[in-house]
Amino acid sequence: MQSLMYLTFAILGFAIPYGISLVIGNELVQNIVLIVYIIQWVAFVPAYIFQTEKFFDLTGSITYTTVFIYCLYLATAGDINLGSLIISILVILWAGRLGSFLFTRIAKDGEDKRFRTIKPDIAQFFMTWTLQGMWVSLCSLCAITAIASETGIIINPIFYIGLFMFVGGFGIEVVADQQKTAFRAIPENRNKFITSGLWSKSRHPNYFGEITLWTGVAVMSFSSLSGSEYLTLISPIFTYLLLVKISGVRMLEGRGQKTWGNDEEYIAYMKNTPMVMIKFW
């Protein structure tokens, strides 16, 4: 019964982004969505055979890089659109930084604890790889649709607002990750939770940064979209739901509750610190 449920989620994970690409009616966008899933499904095979999750996040980053280079190359046909080039470089830089960071962390820790119960179940593990395809597709959809449009990414005041949001969100994510890495590197902090730096202003400042930067991507893409293409602006909404309701915050705070749920300092931290939004006062 559970296997059927996982396969159903996997089917939905593919059907939603591909369905949106069909509604848009752009063949290049449709092909890119298919490429995203093909990469995940091919990578899933050795990952399941060798029961490893070590290349999961890295595969996601490689997929982002692949689809943006592919889209930029085919959409511009040698006549590079500056806005399309800028947004592609930004996403590739973000993907490369995040992928290498997560891969290094897993290599150091030896595993990603989230996958302990997932890997042995072929249906659940397949669903996880498919949902990564959904993550890449839905987050990228507004940008690749704008790049593949007749105008490409239009540079105007709205574009610069989105660019500012991306740079700010990216900076917050990088700083938050570095602060937590430095905190965890101290042996005395092994069984402690971080409350310093940006983590004193938000329980998950790295996720705030990621939500902000993908909102910036949507804003940068906005002026190049029309009609049914506005459906692709689901990107920042999906990013928020994924990080807060499905994987990131929900899973981390569940583990935190088990570990420090009776700790008065942790209870006070949870009560007084915003979950995702950064407290600037």
Side-chain angles (χ1 to χ4, degrees):
M1 189 68 178
Q2 278 192 330
S3 294
L4 181 60
M5 178 184 69
Y6 294 139
L7 289 174
T8 300
F9 282 136
I11 292 170
L12 289 173
F14 169 73
I16 293 173
Y18 191 65
I20 293 174
S21 73
L22 290 175
V23 172
I24 293 170
N26 187 306
E27 186 177 355
L28 176 56
V29 175
Q30 294 169 20
N31 291 338
I32 287 174
V33 172
L34 287 175
I35 289 171
V36 167
Y37 284 95
I38 290 171
I39 293 173
Q40 309 316 305
W41 293 334
V42 169
F44 159 76
V45 176
Y48 180 73
I49 292 173
F50 296 104
Q51 286 292 284
T52 180
E53 76 284 5
K54 291 184 178 179
F55 298 99
F56 180 78
D57 295 306
L58 191 60
T59 301
S61 295
I62 291 171
T63 306
Y64 274 109
T65 300
T66 300
V67 300
F68 271 88
I69 291 175
Y70 179 74
C71 183
L72 185 65
Y73 174 74
L74 290 185
T76 58
D79 185 15
I80 300 294
N81 171 284
L82 181 58
S84 299
L85 180 63
I86 290 172
I87 201 169
S88 298
I89 290 174
L90 290 174
V91 173
I92 291 169
L93 285 174
W94 165 82
R97 201 288 309 183
L98 182 63
S100 59
F101 171 77
L102 294 175
F103 177 73
T104 302
R105 188 176 70 182
I106 292 174
K108 183 179 179 180
D109 295 343
E111 67 168 337
D112 185 335
K113 294 177 182 178
R114 297 174 301 171
F115 285 83
R116 283 182 179 175
T117 58
I118 294 175
K119 288 183 294 184
D121 187 328
I122 187 171
Q124 189 175 6
F125 201 29
F126 177 75
M127 176 198 70
T128 304
W129 281 90
T130 302
L131 291 181
Q132 176 159 260
M134 183 181 187
W135 169 58
V136 176
S137 297
L138 287 184
C139 285
S140 302
L141 209 51
C142 57
I144 63 176
T145 300
I147 292 171
S149 67
E150 292 184 1
T151 60
I153 299 289
I154 297 172
I155 296 180
N156 58 15
I158 295 176
F159 174 88
Y160 287 113
I161 292 172
L163 179 61
F164 175 79
M165 293 176 69
F166 184 98
V167 173
F170 183 69
I172 289 170
E173 184 177 51
V174 171
V175 171
D177 283 341
Q178 289 178 338
Q179 288 176 343
K180 191 169 188 179
T181 299
F183 176 84
R184 293 176 64 186
I186 300 173
E188 291 79 7
N189 293 335
R190 182 176 179 83
N191 296 314
K192 296 180 180 179
F193 54 93
I194 182 172
T195 60
S196 57
L198 288 174
W199 301 84
S200 66
K201 307 296 183 181
S202 168
R203 304 201 305 262
H204 303 278
N206 53 335
Y207 293 152
F208 174 81
E210 186 151 340
I211 292 166
T212 301
L213 71 86
W214 280 113
T215 303
V217 170
V219 173
M220 283 188 280
S221 306
F222 180 79
S223 298
S224 303
L225 305 177
S226 62
S228 60
E229 294 174 346
Y230 288 121
L231 287 172
T232 64
L233 295 176
I234 192 176
S235 167
I237 299 172
F238 171 76
T239 302
Y240 174 84
L241 292 175
L242 177 67
L243 294 178
V244 176
K245 302 296 184 181
I246 300 175
S247 61
V249 172
R250 184 182 66 83
M251 296 177 72
L252 289 172
E253 296 206 338
R255 289 205 300 266
Q257 192 64 33
K258 289 181 181 179
T259 307
W260 304 294
N262 296 320
D263 186 320
E264 291 186 4
E265 289 186 14
Y266 182 74
I267 293 171
Y269 176 70
M270 294 289 287
K271 180 180 179 180
N272 299 320
T273 311
M275 181 174 64
V276 175
M277 294 295 295
I278 290 181
K279 181 173 63 175
F280 290 102
W281 58 92

